[in-house]
């Protein structure tokens, strides 16, 4: 599996684009972050002999056992509102490739910290996000595109994103459940610039594999009770709210009603197109 640095090095040999390039946003490119309200999952109560959260892996048939950066078509930056059980959401064959998805989101990663009054991500920090996604996807057997989609939904890829609160602390790139990884601590009030690679990896691991008190994406996928693309949309809703409405409609229930729809659109290439989901008022 090629690292981000090796991919960029090969690219730069045929290009004059510098590693730490930054693309200014136009007035038509207003990024949308769908949550920033915290993770509303209930805190787990540890029971003797029962292991919760940490180190989660996706079970078959939803486990992904190999990394393929060319695992889908080209991304399309558009938004369609999806509601219902997830069965009418985009199929996995419609998800764009990880490589194209990451590249299309890089301009946003280079600018997303500005909204928090923090220094924007550097090229090496974005490289660490790329490498860490691949590493954690391998560890947890989560589709790497799903991890990237949640990162963009929760923080826009800002490594210095503040901690939010949804009944519990939600730190880091994935605004996980009371994790330890952050480069903008609500406890010590320390902002780290640069954000260490190890902390970036920790943020992604805690959001994906879980923490000692809350589930990550892997556990949420396993809780979905289904397979294929609907498992990931249901998992997104569980990650956001801790449950799915009794109706089965992913646009109903508590927390962010558009969350699963937003994730579906990020997986097919949405970055800057107008956000047209109307379920959150």
């Amino acid at each position: 599996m090629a690292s981000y640095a090796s991919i960029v090095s090969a690219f730069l040999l045929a290009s004059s684009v510098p590693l730490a390039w930054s693309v200014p946003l136009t007035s038509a490119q207003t990024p949308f972050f769908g949550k920033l309200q915290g993770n509303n999952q209930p805190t787990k109560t540890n029971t003797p002999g029962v292991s919760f959260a940490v180190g989660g892996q996706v079970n078959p048939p939803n486990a992904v056992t190999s990394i393929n950066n060319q695992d889908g078509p080209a991304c399309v930056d558009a938004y369609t509102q999806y509601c219902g059980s997830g069965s009418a959401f985009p199929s996995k064959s419609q998800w764009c490739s990880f490589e194209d998805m990451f590249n299309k989101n890089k301009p946003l990663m280079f600018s997303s910290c500005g909204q928090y009054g923090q220094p924007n991500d550097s090229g090496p920090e974005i490289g660490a996000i790329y490498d860490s996604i691949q590493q954690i996807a391998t560890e947890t057997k989560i589709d790497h595109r799903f991890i990237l989609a949640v990162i963009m939904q929760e923080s826009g890829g800002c490594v210095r994103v503040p901690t939010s609160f949804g009944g519990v602390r939600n730190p880091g790139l994935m605004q996980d459940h009371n994790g330890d990884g952050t480069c903008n601590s609500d406890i010590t009030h320390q902002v780290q610039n640069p954000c260490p690679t190890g902390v970036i990896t920790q943020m992604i691991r805690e959001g994906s594999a879980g923490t000692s008190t809350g589930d990550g994406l892997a556990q949420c996928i396993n809780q979905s009770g289904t397979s294929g693309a609907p498992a990931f949309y249901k998992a997104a809703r569980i990650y956001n709210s801790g449950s799915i409405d009794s109706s089965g409609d992913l646009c109903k229930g508590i927390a962010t009603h558009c969350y699963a729809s937003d994730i579906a659109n990020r997986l097919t290439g949405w970055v800057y197109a107008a956000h047209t989901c109307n379920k959150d008022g």
Side-chain angles (χ1 to χ4, degrees):
M1 179 178 64
S3 69
Y4 178 82
S6 65
I7 292 171
V8 169
S9 295
F11 172 72
L12 293 179
L13 289 175
S15 170
S16 60
V17 180
L19 176 61
W21 57 268
S22 179
V23 177
L25 303 183
T26 68
S27 59
Q29 294 178 315
T30 303
F32 178 88
F33 301 98
K35 185 162 83 62
L36 298 181
Q37 299 170 347
N39 182 308
N40 291 273
Q41 295 180 51
T43 297
K44 301 296 182 182
T45 301
N46 287 321
T47 303
V50 177
S51 177
F52 285 109
V54 178
Q57 280 191 342
V58 177
N59 299 328
N62 295 312
V64 175
T65 58
S66 61
I67 296 294
N68 175 14
N69 291 333
Q70 306 296 330
D71 44 2
C75 294
V76 177
D77 190 357
Y79 193 100
T80 300
Q81 177 175 292
Y82 298 104
C83 290
S85 67
S87 60
F89 287 38
S91 66
K92 289 192 76 174
S93 65
Q94 294 173 282
W95 295 5
C96 55
S97 73
F98 178 81
E99 181 175 292
D100 197 33
M101 185 179 173
F102 195 91
N103 285 334
K104 293 292 172 58
N105 278 285
K106 277 195 296 188
L108 180 51
M109 294 184 204
F110 274 115
S111 61
S112 59
C113 285
Q115 67 180 310
Y116 308 118
Q118 298 296 333
N120 282 318
D121 291 4
S122 66
E125 288 171 331
I126 291 176
I129 292 174
Y130 178 98
D131 290 341
S132 296
I133 290 173
Q134 306 287 47
Q135 176 184 338
I136 302 307
T138 301
E139 292 177 7
T140 60
K141 304 186 187 305
I142 301 172
D143 191 302
H144 51 181
R145 296 170 293 182
F146 188 52
I147 297 174
L148 176 56
V150 172
I151 289 173
M152 298 313 297
Q153 178 75 5
E154 295 289 349
S155 65
C158 171
V159 296
R160 280 168 286 278
V161 62
T163 297
S164 61
F165 296 85
V168 68
R169 293 177 61 253
N170 304 130
L173 283 163
M174 300 176 72
Q175 300 286 279
D176 60 67
H177 194 285
N178 200 28
D180 296 317
T182 178
C183 276
N184 187 347
S185 176
D186 59 302
I187 298 173
T188 67
H189 306 293
Q190 178 186 11
V191 175
Q192 296 186 72
N193 184 19
C195 185
T197 295
V199 177
I200 291 172
T201 302
Q202 181 182 19
M203 289 189 277
I204 297 174
R205 180 178 287 116
E206 290 177 338
S208 300
T211 68
S212 61
T213 57
D215 292 333
L217 296 182
Q219 293 90 348
C220 294
I221 293 168
N222 292 339
Q223 292 167 26
S224 69
T226 189
S227 61
F232 294 85
Y233 303 132
K234 290 182 179 182
R237 196 69 174 91
I238 294 168
Y239 185 78
N240 171 243
S241 64
S243 63
I244 295 172
D245 187 73
S246 59
S247 68
D249 188 338
L250 300 181
C251 288
K252 294 182 179 180
I254 64 171
T256 307
H257 302 105
C258 293
Y259 197 89
S261 180
D262 289 354
I263 293 296
N265 281 278
R266 293 194 188 280
L267 287 165
T268 55
W270 171 52
V271 183
Y272 294 116
H275 181 257
T276 56
C277 183
N278 60 13
K279 298 300 180 179
D280 287 304

